[in-house]
Amino acid sequence: MPDTDHLAEAVALAAAAREHGNHPFGALLVTAGGRTVRAENTVLTTGDPTGHAETNLVRLAAAELTAQELATGTLYTSTEPCAMCCGAIFWAGIGTVVYALSGEGLIDLLPAGSGEFTLDLPSREVFARGGHTVEVRGPIEIAGAVEVHDGFWT
């Protein structure tokens, strides 16, 4: 399945997160053998500021998959992972990250003075400081990646 199909699923997970009362972010990990683990953002409904889609995904995937499956898996996410999520991805040993909307693109969507926390630190910069390689592909334009945020941050 091409990256765009998996990214479309990540965007659908982001829409589900929004419908469930959370920030609109979703992620999935697909192993080389085709196993898939999915997660969405749960920050607002759990009150856990670390409940980003990617950190939730890392927790689930690490419990279900072997280290080899993580290392050869690809994490697809609706929006570029923040520095916190990059740390979780790195420590889990996940080998590849593919994202749709860039972190910079997300920041551009936030209204001035929104009070939303932002951390303008691209994932490639975070992973470049690590002791093993994490391949990063993105941003990849995909339908719905921007639209899932429409009206949410106002």
Side-chain angles (χ1 to χ4, degrees), residues 82-102:
C82 72
M84 175 186 69
C85 292
C86 288
I89 293 163
F90 176 83
W91 292 115
I94 294 169
T96 304
V97 173
V98 182
Y99 64 88
L101 180 64
S102 70

